[in-house]
Amino acid sequence: MSSLNVLAEVSGNVTAIGYGLAAIGPGIGVGIIFGQGVQAIARQPEAYGLIRQNMLLGFVLTEALALIGLVAPFIFQAI
């Protein structure tokens, strides 16, 4: 059996690899959101409430994308 045939016989649930790759984007996004939020609060402490509100809204939307990436393989399974 050649190595090409062995590579072609990968079976199982490959969605875990797909979700792992898809989780990189939201992870980077959350880091950017909070990093820039803290920097903005340090520059303008009087705007803390507005910056915090926008920072949390961005966090929620970014995490929603990550959760959609987690749930999508279960919804769209190949039959």
Side-chain angles (χ1 to χ4, degrees):
M1 189 184 284
S2 71
S3 62
L4 184 60
N5 289 338
V6 173
L7 290 176
E9 292 179 11
V10 173
S11 62
N13 193 355
V14 197
T15 57
I17 296 171
Y19 176 68
L21 293 174
I24 292 172
I28 293 171
V30 168
I32 291 172
I33 288 169
F34 282 106
Q36 296 295 322
V38 169
Q39 185 178 20
I41 291 170
R43 288 176 184 241
Q44 287 187 322
E46 66 275 3
Y48 172 77
L50 180 64
I51 294 169
R52 182 176 172 265
Q53 178 183 5
N54 289 332
M55 189 169 58
L56 290 177
L57 180 63
F59 169 73
V60 168
L61 293 175
T62 305
E63 284 300 314
L65 290 176
L67 291 176
I68 289 171
L70 176 66
V71 174
F74 294 111
I75 295 174
F76 303 112
Q77 286 183 347
I79 296 174

